[in-house]
Amino acid sequence: MISKSQLRFKRIFDVVLVVLCLPLLFIPILLLVLIATIDTKTWGIYSQLRVGQYGKLFKIYKIRTLADGEHQLGGLINHATCIGRFLRRSKLNELPQLYNVFIGDMSLVGPRPDLPGFADTLNGKNRIILMVKPGITGPASIKYRDEEALLAQQKDPEHYNRAIIWVDKVKINKKYVENYSFYLDLTLILKSLIHK
C-alpha cells in the first residue's frame, strides 16, 4: 500500500515534471483554447466539480468540446463539434489539467477524477482509492481510453457505466494503490504517451 513518503515523492515528481513541461505546452494550450472558443462560440475552457483525494471536491479544468449542453458523463462524443471530437479522442482537451496537478488537486497518475456520486460513495476497503490524488492518466484510464465510444454503443449508457465500467475501475484503481510504486507511475505515463 502507498505510504506517506511515497505520496510526498509522488507530489514532488508531479510538480517538477509539470514545471518542466508547462513552458513547452503553454502556447499550444492557449492556441487550443482559442480554437475551442471560436469553434464552440463560448469560452474555450470549462470547469466541473470532481471528487478528489480523501473525497474532497475540486474544480477540474478542460478544453471545451461541446457547442451547447453541459459536459457530463458518458456518450457525449457524438454531441461534440468536429474539432471537439478530435480533442476528446486525442485527449488534448485534458491538457489544462496540468494546472490541477500544479496546484495540488491532481497527480499525473492516479484514478480518474469522478463526478460526485461515484468515488465519494466508496465504502469499506474500496476507500483506499481516495488515499491518492486523482490522475490525468492511470491504469483504468488506459484500459478505458475509448470509454465514450463504448458508452455511446449502449442502450442505457448510465446503467452500463455504473454496473460494468465503474465496478471494474474500482478493482483496477484499488490494485493500483495497493501495489503502488514510482516505477509503475513511470510505466503508466509512457503507456499513455505511446497510445495518444
Side-chain angles (χ1 to χ4, degrees), residues 98-169:
L98 290 172
Y99 173 73
N100 286 115
V101 175
F102 181 73
I103 64 174
D105 290 330
M106 293 178 63
S107 177
L108 292 170
V109 183
R112 281 299 296 158
D114 291 303
L115 292 164
F118 287 90
D120 52 333
T121 66
L122 290 169
N123 51 50
K125 293 182 179 179
N126 290 336
R127 287 190 67 82
I128 191 177
I129 295 169
L130 295 175
M131 284 184 64
V132 298
K133 293 178 182 181
I136 295 178
T137 189
S141 300
I142 292 170
K143 179 175 180 178
Y144 289 103
R145 66 173 52 89
D146 296 320
E147 181 178 337
E148 287 187 331
L150 177 62
L151 287 171
Q153 297 169 6
Q154 309 305 316
K155 290 182 180 179
D156 187 346
E158 178 71 20
H159 174 74
Y160 187 85
N161 181 63
R162 287 185 179 274
I164 306 296
I165 296 178
W166 168 244
V167 173
D168 190 36
K169 282 183 177 180

Side-chain angles (χ1 to χ4, degrees), residues 39-156:
D39 183 48
T40 63
K41 298 179 177 61
T42 186
W43 177 231
I45 288 184
Y46 81 97
S47 64
Q48 192 176 53
L49 279 179
R50 296 293 177 98
V51 178
Q53 189 178 31
Y54 308 124
K56 179 184 174 184
L57 295 180
F58 71 97
K59 280 188 178 180
I60 193 174
Y61 297 95
K62 291 189 179 188
I63 294 174
R64 188 175 294 278
T65 58
L66 303 182
D68 53 18
E70 292 184 12
H71 289 71
Q72 54 188 318
L73 176 70
L76 282 181
I77 194 165
N78 293 328
H79 300 288
T81 65
C82 288
I83 292 173
R85 283 194 290 274
F86 167 75
L87 292 174
R88 289 165 86 106
R89 288 191 181 112
S90 64
K91 308 299 183 187
L92 290 172
N93 67 314
E94 297 182 0
L95 282 175
Q97 289 166 46
L98 290 172
Y99 173 73
N100 286 115
V101 175
F102 181 73
I103 64 174
D105 290 330
M106 293 178 63
S107 177
L108 292 170
V109 183
R112 281 299 296 158
D114 291 303
L115 292 164
F118 287 90
D120 52 333
T121 66
L122 290 169
N123 51 50
K125 293 182 179 179
N126 290 336
R127 287 190 67 82
I128 191 177
I129 295 169
L130 295 175
M131 284 184 64
V132 298
K133 293 178 182 181
I136 295 178
T137 189
S141 300
I142 292 170
K143 179 175 180 178
Y144 289 103
R145 66 173 52 89
D146 296 320
E147 181 178 337
E148 287 187 331
L150 177 62
L151 287 171
Q153 297 169 6
Q154 309 305 316
K155 290 182 180 179
D156 187 346

Side-chain angles (χ1 to χ4, degrees), residues 24-42:
L24 301 173
L25 294 173
F26 184 72
I27 297 300
I29 290 172
L30 280 183
L31 288 174
L32 289 173
V33 171
L34 177 62
I35 291 167
T37 300
I38 295 168
D39 183 48
T40 63
K41 298 179 177 61
T42 186

